[in-house]
Structure formats: C-alpha cells, structure tokens
Amino acid sequence: MVKKIRKLKEAFLQFSNSVVLAAVICAVFLYSGAVKIRGEKTFASLFKSSEIVEIAGKVVSNPVKNADKDTYSFELCPTRCFTKQRASSSCRGVVRVIVPAAVVEAFFPGKLYSAAKAVSQNGGILCETGVNILLCGKFTMEGLFISKSAESLGWDDDFFGKLSHFRALGRLQFRRLMYFWGEAGGLFLALLSGIRDYTDKAVSDSFRRAGLSHILALSGMHLSLFSMLSKKISTKIVGNKISRVFQIVSVCVFVWFAGFSPSLFRAFLCSVILLLADIVNYKRIKMIHVLALAFLIHIVFFPNDVFSVAFKLSYGALMGILLFGEFFASLFSPFIPTGISYPLGASAGAQCFTAPISARIFKVVTPIGIVSSLIVSPLITVFIYAGLFFMLFSLCFPFFAPVGSFFMKIVYSIIVTLVLFFSKFPAIPF
C-alpha cells in the first residue's frame, strides 16, 4: 500500500512538471501570435447589424459604469433580433451593450433616478447577470449595441434563473446597506462585490497612482481573506478536516456573488486546487504548479481573457512573487526585520512582471506600489474584517448600525489619507 501511494505521488509530481511545461508552451504560442483564439463570441444573425433596431437576450456580465458616467456597459447573450419592419431572426454570440445610466440605476439608493420614474420613462430594470431583456437601439461600426431603452423580460423559470434572481436581489440589498455607510460603504462594496458605483472617482484614481489598483480589483487577497474567515469559523464547528469543504463552498459563494473577473477566477482556481490537495493530504504541491494548472484551466473556460489587462497583471504578479519574492526578501532581510522584508520582497517580485506590462499598456510604472502595498494592504484586511463584523452585527441589532458606520468611516479615512499620500509620488513614464 505504501509503495502504491509513493508511486502515485511520483506520478503526480511528473504530471505537475508537465503542467508547468504545457503552460509555458501555451503562453508562448498565444502571446507570440502563433496561435489565434477563435472568435466564438462573434455576433451572428440573418440580418446585417445595420438593419437591427431591437435585440433580446440574457445579460451575462455585471454592468459596469463607463468613464462618461452617463452610461453602463455589459455583455448580452442574444437570442432574438428585430428589424424596423418587425422581421425577426434568431442570433448567437455575445454583444457588448451600452445603456443609459437611468436604466441600470433605477433601483439604486442615492441615485438621481427614482424607481417609479425610471421604470415608466426610461425602462429601468434590475439589470444583473441572468436577467432576460429587450433592448431598443442600433449597432455601431465597432459591433457595440447602443441602447436607448430597455425592457425586462424576467428571469428563467428554472433553478438557475431563480438563483440568478436571488443573487440580483442580494446585490441590490447590499448596495442599500452600504449606502448608509457613505464613502466607506462605497469602498467596502467594491472590495466584496466588485461594485464601484459608489466609489469616489478621485479615490479610485489615487489607488491607481499609488500602485494599488490590485486592491480594488477583486483578486487573491479578497478571496483568501474570505477563505480564512470561513476556515476559522468552520474549524470550531466541524473540525479541521471537514472545514476544507466549507472553505471550498465559501469561495464558490464569494465568486458567484461577486461575479467572474479574470483576476478573481485565477484566485478561485488556485484556491480550489490548493484546498483539494489539502483534502487528499498532498503536501508536496508547489504554487508554481498550481498557477500553471490554473492558467491551463482558465484558458479552456475563458480563452478570450488571455489578452485582457486584468488576466496579464493577475498571473504576472503571482508569477513574479513565486520566482523573485524570496530573492528580494533575502536582499532586504539584513537591513529590515523579517516581518517586513518578506512582504516587501513579494511586492518587489510582483513588480518584476507587472511593471513591463504596465509600461507597455499604460505607458507608466509606479514603483511606489512596492512600499504602498506593504502599508495599505494590512489596513484593507482590517477594513474588510471589521466591515463583515459590523454588517452582520447591524443586521441582527439595527440600533448598532450608527456605531459600525462611525468606526468604518474612521478606518476609511486612514486608508484614503495614506493612499492620497502615496499617490503624490511620481510615476515613471514610458
């Protein structure tokens, strides 16, 4: 029996090395342009795009506010399209849709549009992933569908449709709860659900200039905090072994509620792989193998993510930490305490891969991010844990809500002050 287990582990080790090699080969072929990803999401119908004035389908991504602040964009999986003469055709693919802000913000607290007015005049809907809608507008030359109005066609009457509806209502209620916390609630909303509708633009820009964009982008840090919290709670209830199952369930719920983004899906895959390895008691697994396997799985499920900025920065940052984190930590350790040198080394290692990507895409590099991440990240951890505590406590004891709001605003003020300070450091233009 022992020999069989040893052989199984050796076979798994060989498989892990093969996975790394396969990931490297795939990356080389994809980013060199030798292999093209097929455009399976391209919109297609019997009509020319210029003839279509209405399109019906299902929302398949969270609406995101555009830079102009007057519109939102999201992806729609179309099922039917119509011309001005009311001729109809089935269709397929995925369409990027742009709709007026009034349509999406109809039920949002604190916005300019009341629910009644938006629904009656602007076609306001509960616009979340899973809802079926009918849009009136036109296609642009770039393949975008600019919609003037929208009409809700309801949710699918099956398990997944009801689950999507439940998620939409939950995200709406979360918005309403966080609105009471003001700007602190806006940041907490962005950290836990990816909703940035209430995050101050000046603060978001300051995070970017301070090299802290990864904090606002849902990623491994947020998922690991949620996973650790689940572990601590479930370990006391069901024991250490079974708690791994609860961790997997908790990260699945978090990703389901927040919505898939390239960085969050990468973190999700890595977390699940590590938890499964822990369940089967495999201790020799290496993070480089986990990252490679996650990369291969990711490009199978979402091949179009490969060329997104979030995908490149997410995988590049973790690769830099794994390859160069300890090296930089060893350079810092003779001069800096170990508790600081290792996080600082990890930040420097991440910059080795993300800096070239930022220089190429954004034409700028923010080296201050090495230091700012070290100082702001622990405060973000405190902010998230405190927010979860006060949110749950306020739901149980509503009279306690003002106390939680007051404390969260204090922590938020400290975080924003530090972010604004680091944002004043000059970036290196390219």
Side-chain angles (χ1 to χ4, degrees), residues 12 15-17 19-20 23 266-278 282 284-298 315 318-319 322:
F12 187 81
F15 169 75
S16 300
N17 293 330
V19 165
V20 174
R266 190 274 306 160
F268 170 74
L269 290 174
C270 290
S271 297
V272 170
I273 293 170
L274 286 171
L275 289 171
L276 290 176
D278 196 33
Y282 184 76
R284 296 174 61 187
I285 192 168
K286 297 180 179 179
M287 268 307 301
I288 192 68
H289 298 152
V290 173
L291 184 63
L293 183 57
F295 176 84
L296 293 174
I297 296 174
H298 197 148
Y315 280 92
L318 187 52
M319 179 66 73
L322 296 177

Side-chain angles (χ1 to χ4, degrees), residues 76-399:
L76 181 80
C77 184
T79 55
R80 205 80 187 168
C81 60
F82 304 86
T83 65
K84 187 177 294 186
Q85 292 75 27
R86 302 309 299 167
S88 66
S89 165
S90 60
C91 47
R92 61 175 176 80
V94 174
V95 178
R96 172 64 61 174
V97 174
I98 297 179
V99 298
V103 172
V104 179
E105 295 179 348
F107 304 103
F108 291 3
K111 298 299 182 179
L112 296 176
Y113 318 103
S114 70
K117 180 180 178 182
V119 171
S120 61
Q121 297 181 7
N122 301 307
I125 59 175
L126 183 55
C127 191
E128 287 282 357
T129 302
V131 66
N132 297 295
I133 59 176
L134 175 66
L135 299 167
C136 178
K138 63 179 181 179
F139 275 98
T140 66
M141 297 294 293
E142 294 77 20
L144 296 174
F145 189 82
I146 310 297
S147 176
K148 298 178 181 179
S149 63
E151 176 186 346
S152 176
L153 301 178
W155 308 77
D156 293 341
D157 193 25
D158 55 16
F159 172 77
F160 293 105
K162 293 178 181 177
L163 192 64
S164 296
H165 193 193
F166 175 77
R167 173 183 179 271
L169 293 174
R171 285 169 64 87
L172 178 61
Q173 189 60 34
F174 192 25
R175 280 186 176 93
R176 291 172 175 171
L177 180 62
M178 290 300 100
Y179 179 69
F180 180 75
W181 287 1
E183 293 181 347
L187 178 60
F188 189 72
L189 192 65
L191 293 174
L192 254 67
S193 64
I195 300 171
R196 300 191 190 183
D197 303 334
Y198 297 88
T199 306
D200 186 79
K201 186 178 185 302
V203 173
S204 298
D205 292 340
S206 297
F207 268 90
R208 177 179 52 80
R209 291 194 299 269
L212 298 168
S213 297
H214 62 281
I215 288 180
L216 292 183
L218 292 176
S219 59
M221 183 185 77
H222 309 79
L223 199 63
S224 61
L225 290 177
F226 204 75
S227 177
M228 288 171 59
L229 181 63
S230 172
K231 180 182 178 181
K232 289 180 180 180
I233 296 175
S234 59
T235 299
K236 294 180 180 180
I237 299 175
V238 296
N240 187 56
K241 194 70 175 179
I242 304 179
S243 67
R244 299 295 185 271
V245 178
F246 281 86
Q247 279 185 271
I248 293 178
V249 173
S250 68
V251 297
C252 288
V253 170
F254 179 83
V255 173
W256 166 76
F257 184 77
F260 285 107
S261 66
S263 56
L264 187 58
F265 190 59
R266 190 274 306 160
F268 170 74
L269 290 174
C270 290
S271 297
V272 170
I273 293 170
L274 286 171
L275 289 171
L276 290 176
D278 196 33
I279 289 176
V280 299
N281 201 32
Y282 184 76
K283 304 297 184 182
R284 296 174 61 187
I285 192 168
K286 297 180 179 179
M287 268 307 301
I288 192 68
H289 298 152
V290 173
L291 184 63
L293 183 57
F295 176 84
L296 293 174
I297 296 174
H298 197 148
I299 63 177
V300 169
F301 282 93
F302 301 105
N304 289 280
D305 283 353
V306 171
F307 300 106
S308 70
V309 177
F311 182 95
K312 295 176 183 177
L313 291 176
S314 180
Y315 280 92
L318 187 52
M319 179 66 73
I321 293 172
L322 296 177
L323 295 181
F324 302 112
E326 290 189 7
F327 169 75
F328 283 110
S330 64
L331 294 180
F332 298 143
S333 57
F335 315 101
I336 304 175
T338 303
I340 300 177
S341 62
Y342 272 88
L344 194 62
S347 295
Q351 286 283 333
C352 289
F353 272 73
T354 58
I357 297 173
S358 298
R360 179 177 177 82
I361 298 174
F362 303 115
K363 309 301 179 185
V364 68
V365 173
T366 53
I368 191 60
I370 298 175
V371 179
S372 60
S373 295
L374 181 68
I375 297 175
V376 176
S377 292
L379 287 173
I380 292 293
T381 302
V382 173
F383 185 78
I384 291 176
Y385 279 145
L388 289 171
F389 170 77
F390 285 120
M391 182 177 68
L392 295 174
F393 207 74
S394 298
L395 290 174
C396 297
F397 307 99
F399 62 86

